[in-house]
Amino acid sequence: ISWRALKTLLTDPRLGGRTILVLLHSLEELFALPEPEHEAMLAALGGTARVLLHRLSDMNRLGTGPNRLGNLALLPHGADAPETPPYLRALAREDEIVIGCHGFFLPHKGIADLIAALPGLARSWPNLRLRLVNARFPNADSEAEIAHCLALARSLGVAGRIEFLTDFLPRARIASLLRGCDLVALPYRQSEDSASGALRAALASLVPVAATRVPLFEEAGDAVAWLTPDNPETLAEELSALLAAPERRRLLQAEASDWLAARDWGRTAERLHGMVSGLVATSRAETGFSNPLP
């Protein structure tokens, strides 16, 4: 929904008297609006019961300044919390090793950097291959990036080491493919979103995850190993060191399990239900409506 359409919806008189919550997944386009539209949008958001955000940095952006909102609440994006982690083995040089990747096949996902790092990785791990569980997105940028990465893989002589899985797959199939990896790498360059579904799918595999230190992934904390963005040579060195460190990978697996448990969809739902129930009860008390909540 566009910001203009959202403003029209929130200011429609037919919603008067209702308890309204708005969940914002990304703020970049909001702050890119012309000043009059930006102020009008903030005024419309300020008239709701709660504006829900995924991360503290977004809370700070909307909660400070002359047009700050006073109705903000933090609601972390939920995640699946599997019960049984895959076994993590110590890796020998001659072992067959799989590094996975996930997320839509778009330029900012750093997939080209991961392919460019493959020759360096193969020098230390001669039987290593990449599993790109990266679905094509329905736009020209995605098609161009897939073509670029295919050409790059051929030019580097590593096309035979790469699985290009660009179909939009069911979640269960994605989980199975990622759980068959020894490591999942998310070498993103940047993103305008406030929470990452790809990160959650990668962590939910309970395979160790390595990600570039970009704002989108800051919430992951100790649940991921941090990579340097935009540098394939450094990326190869960092991933190789992680493959050679079984205890480090096991620690990442444990941290990821705790991270997922704290964001389990059931807990997130309970938190949201409690918030909604409290807001509705307050509204009914103020208007004299005394029917009990279900």
Side-chain angles (χ1 to χ4, degrees):
I1 185 170
S2 69
W3 291 104
R4 181 174 298 177
L6 179 59
K7 173 185 170 295
T8 300
L9 177 64
L10 295 180
T11 55
D12 191 307
R14 287 171 292 181
L15 293 182
R18 294 184 181 273
T19 300
I20 300 173
L21 291 83
V22 180
L23 173 61
L24 301 182
H25 192 68
S26 175
L27 298 183
E28 298 308 315
E29 291 183 1
L30 172 60
F31 282 88
L33 292 174
E35 190 61 27
E37 289 185 44
H38 178 75
E39 292 182 0
M41 190 67 246
L42 290 180
L45 290 170
T48 65
R50 285 291 184 276
V51 175
L52 307 179
L53 302 164
H54 288 318
R55 58 185 184 180
L56 288 172
S57 57
D58 288 344
M59 297 271 289
N60 292 334
R61 292 183 75 180
L62 285 180
T64 58
N67 298 314
R68 62 182 178 273
L69 299 181
N71 58 339
L72 305 176
L74 188 67
L75 185 73
H77 196 302
D80 294 317
E83 297 179 358
T84 55
Y87 172 73
L88 293 185
R89 55 189 177 133
L91 300 172
R93 175 182 171 83
E94 65 277 4
D95 286 341
E96 292 188 2
I97 296 166
V98 181
I99 294 181
C101 185
H102 185 48
F104 281 114
F105 215 124
L106 292 166
H108 70 274
K109 301 300 178 81
I111 300 167
D113 292 336
L114 189 57
I115 293 172
L118 188 50
L121 281 163
R123 284 193 288 271
S124 299
W125 309 92
N127 294 318
L128 183 143
R129 55 193 173 92
L130 295 183
R131 177 173 291 166
L132 303 180
V133 191
N134 298 101
R136 59 173 23 94
F137 195 78
N139 67 17
D141 287 345
S142 182
E143 294 297 337
E145 187 64 11
I146 292 172
H148 167 65
C149 286
L150 286 167
L152 177 63
R154 287 192 291 267
S155 71
L156 295 173
V158 296
R161 293 179 176 270
I162 305 175
E163 299 174 63
F164 283 86
L165 302 169
T166 59
D167 290 338
F168 192 85
L169 301 173
R171 290 174 60 190
R173 177 61 175 152
I174 292 170
S176 176
L177 288 165
L178 294 179
R179 284 174 72 89
C181 299
D182 297 288
L183 181 67
V184 177
L186 303 176
Y188 285 35
R189 293 189 168 194
Q190 196 49 271
S191 175
E192 294 182 352
D193 289 331
S194 295
S196 170
L199 172 68
R200 281 157 173 75
L203 288 171
S205 72
L206 288 180
V207 169
V209 175
T212 42
R213 196 180 285 277
V214 294
L216 176 63
F217 295 146
E218 65 184 12
E219 62 172 326
D222 294 333
V224 304
W226 294 110
L227 303 171
T228 304
D230 305 346
N231 189 322
E233 291 183 5
T234 302
L235 181 61
E237 294 171 0
E238 292 169 340
L239 291 175
S240 182
L242 194 53
L243 289 171
E247 290 305 318
R248 171 71 174 130
R249 288 185 284 114
R250 291 186 185 112
L251 179 60
L252 287 171
Q253 188 181 61
E255 292 283 355
S257 182
D258 291 343
W259 190 92
L260 292 165
R263 291 161 179 79
D264 178 71
W265 282 112
R267 291 189 178 186
T268 303
E270 289 177 2
R271 182 172 181 175
L272 180 59
H273 182 270
M275 187 186 305
V276 172
S277 298
L279 290 169
V280 171
T282 299
S283 175
R284 289 177 173 178
E286 291 174 349
T287 59
F289 189 82
S290 59
N291 282 358
L293 285 172

